[in-house]
Amino acid sequence: MKTARWWTTEKNQIRCTLCPWECLLKEGQYGVCRVRKNSGGQLMSLSYGRPLAMGLDPVEKKPLYHFLPGKQVFSIGTAGCNLLCDFCQNWEISQCGYENESAYTLYSPEDIVKLALRYQAPAIAFTYNEPTIFAEYVIDIAVIARERNLKTLMVTNGYILPEASRDIYSNIDAANVDLKSFSNEFYKKRTRGELRYVLDTLLLLKEMKIHLELTTLIIEGYNSDTAKLRDEFRWIVENLGPETVLHLSAFHPDYKLENHPRTSGAVLESARKIAQDAGLNYIYLGNLSFTDNNTYCPNCHFLQIERSAYDIQINVETHCRCGRPVDYL
Ligand code: SF4
């Protein structure tokens, strides 16, 4: 447990200023994320030093396809989340907190970096649950990681306020941000969040030159509407650029939507076509067994990276054979 970084006091209460909920907490109260608490008149981060999950994963699993392709990254996650998605595919850890605060093995930031180095991972990924809500731990790990020449990456819902975002991402190299829909109604009903904050985060990360990839989990009938997808993809092209990597991922029944059907390959392929027509150059499909997820040169269509599950064959170095620069290796 560590004193949190982003908060103010209001009368006898604490206002957390990390994410758009801006929870106002009385003594002993927890935030919506369940892992930040007013304890003794201070906001405390309960996640600090208490990872719930750690492992070595292909970076493609995050998913990041244009950042350290083919490498295994040391991944950690904690408990809780600041969105309440009823389709959450990681709900076992995202929808719990640290009710029994003493029942966890503690890992200092130095311990995490040492583990990553022991496994010869070139990067540390903050993933599995929402890293925004354990941002103090993220920053302390990332600072040491940089000193040891390790990269860091966030797999995030992008639901954060700009000031905290700048503090965190100035220490981070890459991010995959969920853009769950381009409909605020969807955000409010299915996640309890608001779209505009996520779009602001995307613009900020672009401005900060963080390597950025996006994921949209397509849930048939809920966020698969053609016109909305077109709006989303056009916004990405206009605001983040046509080179932005987009992952379209298939929903599988889970959590509160366990009776909703799995998204079909045909729906995903159709979304990919809409994204291509909008002008995006790199679109990959996730949670499907059979699909072409290779990287082709947008100019000459040369096969630059061949992917078969997590088997990666890289066929380019700094430039494609047509002369177009390859800036993601
Ligand atoms: S990070 Fe947690 S405590 Fe802070 S505003 Fe968001 S939900 Fe509330």
Side-chain angles (χ1 to χ4, degrees), residues 16-23 25 31-34 36 43 82 133:
C16 177
T17 55
L18 174 53
C19 95
W21 285 99
E22 294 190 89
C23 298
L25 306 172
V32 169
C33 58
R34 303 180 187 210
R36 302 171 81 78
L43 186 66
N82 59 343
I133 60 170

Side-chain angles (χ1 to χ4, degrees), residues 249-267:
S249 196
F251 163 82
H252 59 78
D254 217 329
Y255 195 38
K256 294 181 183 169
L257 293 190
E258 62 179 359
N259 295 317
H260 195 83
R262 176 181 291 270
T263 301
S264 68
V267 167

